Amino acid sequence: MSFDVDTHTDTTVVVDIGEALDFRNADDFKSTFQSHVDNGVRNFILDFSDTGILDSTGLGSIFSLYRQISPEDGQVVFADVSRPVQVVVQLTRTYKVFRQFPSVDAARKALS
Amino acid sequence: MAKQSILVVEDEKMLRKLLEYRLGKHYEVETAANGEEALDRMEAYTPDLIISDIMMPKMDGFALQSALQSDKNKRVIPFIFLTARSDEPTRKEGARTGVDDFITKPFDIDQLLSRIDRLLERTKVFQKNLDAEIGEDFSRRLMPKQMPSVPGYRIRFYNQAHDQGGGDLFDWTRTDDGNYFITVGDVMGKGVRAKFYAFSFLSYVRGTLHAMLRESDSPAELLRRVNQMLIEDEVMEETFASLLLINWNPDEHTITYANAGHCRPVLALPNGAEIVAHSDLILGLESGTQFTDTTFDLPPDSALVLYTDGLMEQRLPSGETLGEDGVIEIAAAALDDNEPVRSMLEAALTRSEANEFEDDILAFWLQREA
């Protein structure tokens, strides 16, 4: 299963994380973002509105993305973060690294 | 799981295309027109199974088969001969060189598919058993064989690795001045790979701790060094880990800790339990991350409870997870129990209405007696 990606600008995309990002589909997520990174995308808006599960493997795949694009001034931002995802983000203190926006639209505006 | 791959070696173009098309529905298929081409292909990748014609120009099937026999990694790949020569001498020659199966042309594709299935199944089961064995071995090495024994303290530990588990780790060491360093962490990922990374990571943490103790006993300083290693060392590049380090002084009854994004410990007190709140960013994400030491007293009849995310993420019938709040409650209730860890875990299972945990489980209980 692949992830829906919506192109915002040449360098910014919105990825719909869907219901779960965990050990079952983390590799799919990696290949999804990798093709966009290879095409020059530097900013990723992750839409967590429907996400019920984010486990440590899933979070690890987001970290891999961040490690790749942050040296080139890229950003990973979280939009419409559901409660289960918020718990993981709080626990790992990753809100210090990933900016959060109340909605995908707000994130699009900020990254235009 | 990724599709398994098959290398088809066949000089007849029509038959090669047909096999590529039919097998391609179930497997990744690569093709070669003769033995030489097949060996070239296998420089770059290792198929899970080979189907080869016998009569081919340049290098025939037998020559390919013998060439593979001299390579211990390629010799074990299941090998099926497609042959028009169904006579006994050919079969005998095949058996001598270690061929797994013969299919005589013209062949029925369903029959071929079922034989491929059977051969690959064997490899898969073998691989699975091997993974489980290595996984168990790593799991054992990631956990201590015994616990510290300190007068005036009750210490309990439990861990159970799960098939679907990952890289939980736990370690303790006694320093020259009689303090204890306790390490609990979780390397991100699942399965044998995560356990392998956790094992390398733990060795590094141990080494760094020993080197550092000569000049500093600050948990935050150790986290800083380990984080820098994860950022700079290419081997560990894809490793992210939560890590909680505790420096426990049993004479003064103090705890100094630093926490890199690990599940926050619980302090169980006679009048209730509370979270040990401070924590900093997880390891491996950002260069130059700052970590902070925090010190607190362990009052009489209080217990410090360390654990990993498997406990917190245990699912309740409501669909929610047990969560930090749930862990606080079961820890508070376990304080008067003689076997507090067991009672906590039983309470977690009762709440989740499950017979077992869905992930690795680890809990450490350090109680100062009244």
Side-chain angles (χ1 to χ4, degrees):
Chain A
M1 196 201 80
S2 64
F3 290 79
D4 284 338
V5 182
D6 184 16
T7 301
H8 178 47
T9 68
D10 284 350
T11 55
T12 303
V13 295
V14 181
V15 185
D16 182 359
I17 298 299
E19 289 174 5
L21 177 56
D22 63 8
F23 68 96
R24 284 165 296 205
N25 63 353
D27 283 341
D28 295 335
F29 177 69
K30 277 189 177 179
S31 47
T32 301
F33 75 64
Q34 196 60 53
S35 60
H36 289 88
V37 170
D38 295 345
N39 287 331
V41 173
R42 288 296 169 265
N43 299 308
F44 289 78
I45 299 168
L46 307 185
D47 178 357
F48 285 106
S49 50
D50 298 325
T51 312
I53 298 173
L54 175 64
D55 77 351
S56 80
T57 311
L59 191 61
S61 63
I62 299 175
F63 291 179
S64 299
L65 169 62
Y66 176 78
R67 284 285 303 270
Q68 279 195 43
I69 59 169
S70 61
E72 298 176 41
D73 294 323
Q75 289 189 63
V76 180
V77 306
F78 288 16
D80 201 354
V81 175
S82 62
R83 197 173 160 272
V85 173
Q86 198 64 266
V87 169
V88 177
V89 167
Q90 289 289 330
L91 193 69
T92 51
R93 293 300 187 253
T94 37
Y95 54 80
K96 295 176 178 176
V97 175
F98 306 118
R99 281 164 78 197
Q100 290 196 16
F101 294 94
S103 67
V104 171
D105 278 347
R108 282 178 194 266
K109 282 201 188 90
L111 294 183
S112 302
Chain B
M1 189 176 155
K3 271 190 187 172
Q4 289 177 297
S5 66
I6 295 180
L7 177 60
V8 172
V9 193
E10 169 63 64
D11 61 328
E12 227 176 284
K13 196 175 171 197
M14 281 299 291
L15 184 54
R16 195 166 68 229
K17 288 280 165 205
L18 173 75
L19 285 169
E20 187 176 14
Y21 173 72
R22 293 299 302 265
L23 300 178
K25 291 179 179 172
H26 309 272
Y27 306 100
E28 295 287 341
V29 181
E30 291 271 329
T31 59
N34 56 59
E36 242 174 54
E37 267 186 32
L39 289 177
D40 275 354
R41 284 282 146 76
M42 290 172 68
E43 290 291 313
Y45 98 118
T46 305
D48 294 304
L49 183 142
I50 299 166
I51 299 172
S52 174
D53 190 14
I54 292 182
M55 304 295 284
M56 289 179 294
K58 285 190 185 163
M59 183 188 226
D60 71 12
F62 287 130
L64 169 63
Q65 169 68 19
S66 341
L68 295 176
Q69 289 299 306
S70 61
D71 183 324
K72 69 174 169 22
N73 291 316
K74 294 182 175 145
R75 170 159 82 205
V76 295
I77 302 170
F79 198 105
I80 297 177
F81 262 141
L82 282 181
T83 174
R85 292 157 50 185
S86 61
D87 55 318
E88 263 322 281
T90 311
R91 278 182 186 277
K92 275 192 183 138
E93 191 167 354
R96 201 185 62 226
T97 51
V99 171
D100 295 281
D101 213 339
F102 270 94
I103 301 264
T104 311
K105 292 190 226 175
F107 56 86
D108 173 42
I109 192 82
D110 290 327
Q111 192 195 8
L112 177 63
L113 278 170
S114 95
R115 295 214 192 165
I116 291 173
D117 229 31
R118 219 173 47 215
L119 282 171
L120 287 179
E121 172 94 41
R122 210 158 74 191
T123 331
K124 254 199 295 206
V125 169
F126 183 66
Q127 182 67 43
K128 205 173 142 224
N129 291 345
L130 185 65
D131 278 0
E133 202 175 300
I134 297 171
E136 273 169 36
D137 186 46
F138 274 129
S139 296
R140 261 200 312 278
R141 287 166 198 271
L142 288 165
M143 297 297 153
K145 290 196 179 63
Q146 56 185 37
M147 281 294 130
S149 166
V150 178
Y153 277 89
R154 174 190 292 172
I155 293 173
R156 294 289 183 273
F157 176 78
Y158 179 82
N159 103 280
Q160 177 67 55
H162 192 274
D163 298 345
Q164 286 295 343
D168 282 8
L169 57 93
F170 186 93
D171 191 34
W172 64 272
T173 186
R174 188 169 183 271
T175 64
D176 291 341
D177 51 14
N179 289 357
Y180 290 83
F181 251 93
I182 299 164
T183 310
V184 57
D186 182 5
V187 174
M188 290 189 159
K190 286 284 175 199
V192 176
R193 196 163 45 163
K195 288 188 203 296
F196 171 72
Y197 280 124
F199 184 65
S200 328
F201 176 71
L202 181 58
S203 311
Y204 184 84
V205 171
R206 276 188 190 141
T208 310
L209 179 62
H210 276 282
M212 191 191 78
L213 281 173
R214 280 180 234 126
E215 45 201 87
S216 163
D217 63 354
S218 155
E221 172 58 19
L222 183 65
L223 289 182
R224 196 189 61 74
R225 292 187 189 194
V226 173
N227 184 59
Q228 245 10 67
M229 180 276 297
L230 289 183
I231 298 287
E232 285 159 15
D233 188 333
E234 280 182 10
V235 176
M236 303 294 275
E237 195 174 32
E238 287 277 300
T239 306
F240 307 102
S242 70
L243 194 66
L244 170 64
L245 281 175
I246 305 259
N247 184 352
W248 164 43
N249 180 330
D251 299 326
E252 304 286 333
H253 308 294
T254 58
I255 298 283
T256 299
Y257 76 95
N259 187 352
H262 193 75
C263 300
R264 300 188 294 177
V266 171
L267 180 62
L269 299 155
N271 56 353
E274 58 189 51
I275 211 79
V276 179
H278 185 82
S279 114
D280 296 303
L281 188 64
I282 198 158
L283 300 176
L285 197 51
E286 192 105 285
S287 177
T289 303
Q290 294 296 312
F291 300 96
T292 319
D293 283 328
T294 308
T295 301
F296 62 91
D297 295 322
L298 266 183
D301 200 24
S302 69
L304 180 67
V305 189
L306 314 181
Y307 54 98
T308 53
D309 59 2
L311 181 59
M312 230 178 60
E313 286 173 2
Q314 181 71 6
R315 244 161 230 284
L316 305 181
S318 64
E320 302 259 304
T321 54
L322 181 63
E324 212 170 49
D325 291 342
V327 177
I328 293 174
E329 288 167 20
I330 59 175
L335 188 59
D336 298 326
D337 204 286
N338 263 335
E339 289 302 333
V341 166
R342 194 165 66 197
S343 120
M344 262 179 66
L345 297 179
E346 280 170 4
L349 285 178
T350 306
R351 285 189 182 210
S352 71
E353 292 178 16
N355 295 321
E356 55 184 19
F357 289 99
E358 298 149 12
D359 197 352
D360 289 350
I361 286 295
L362 185 155
F364 173 79
W365 181 279
L366 175 67
Q367 181 167 6
R368 181 180 169 194
E369 290 172 344

